Amino acid sequence: QVQLVQSGGGLVQPGGSLRLSCVVSGSIYGLNTMGWYRQAPGKQRELVATITRVGVTNYADSVKGRFTMSRDNAKRLTFLQMNSLKPEDTAVYYCKGYIETTPTMSREYWGQGTQVTVSS
C-alpha cells in the first residue's frame, strides 16, 4: 500500500524557518511530479510548490524567494524548506505525489497533512 508520510512543521515566530519532509512508502514503480499544498482555515487548498522528476520547480508567487522545494528520488523524499515565514503562511500543509504503481498505472496520493503556525 502506497503512503505519503509527512514530518516537520510546528510553531515558529515570524521570520523563522521550518522544513517539511515527505517520504513515499510501499511498493512503487516510479515517482513523477511531487507537490506541496496548503489550506488555511476557511480557505481553499492552494498550490505552494511543485517539482518534476528531474528537479524543475515551480512556486506560488506568495512564496517565491522564501520557500525551496527539493527531492531525493533514491530515498523517495521530498522537502519544503520554508524561510522568512509570515503569519499568512499559517496553514495545514499537504504533500502530493503522482506515483507510478506499475509501468502503465499512475495516480495521485496525498500525505496526512501537517500544521504550520507562524505566530509571535
Side-chain angles (χ1 to χ4, degrees):
Q1 182 179 357
V2 176
Q3 287 186 309
L4 272 59
V5 180
Q6 299 178 218
S7 59
L11 173 64
V12 65
Q13 292 185 341
S17 298
L18 285 173
R19 188 173 85 153
L20 306 181
S21 300
C22 174
V23 64
V24 179
S25 66
S27 178
I28 68 171
Y29 184 76
L31 298 175
N32 284 324
T33 297
M34 304 293 293
W36 287 98
Y37 292 73
R38 67 186 181 187
Q39 187 166 19
K43 294 186 177 181
Q44 290 188 330
R45 192 172 297 187
E46 63 176 3
L47 172 69
V48 176
T50 60
I51 187 167
T52 68
R53 186 199 299 262
V54 296
V56 177
T57 53
N58 180 57
Y59 298 96
D61 288 342
S62 59
V63 307
K64 280 181 182 176
R66 301 187 297 121
F67 290 13
T68 302
M69 187 173 182
S70 59
R71 64 191 287 169
D72 182 333
N73 290 332
K75 296 181 179 179
R76 303 182 178 185
L77 281 164
T78 303
F79 304 99
L80 184 68
Q81 178 66 42
M82 304 183 291
N83 298 328
S84 302
L85 282 160
K86 304 175 181 180
E88 51 264 43
D89 294 318
T90 296
V92 177
Y93 283 70
Y94 296 90
C95 172
K96 185 177 88 169
Y98 287 95
I99 311 297
E100 297 173 353
T101 53
T102 73
T104 57
M105 289 186 62
S106 178
R107 54 158 285 192
E108 66 178 41
Y109 291 84
W110 288 90
Q112 81 276 18
T114 186
Q115 178 69 45
V116 170
T117 302
V118 184
S119 175
S120 55

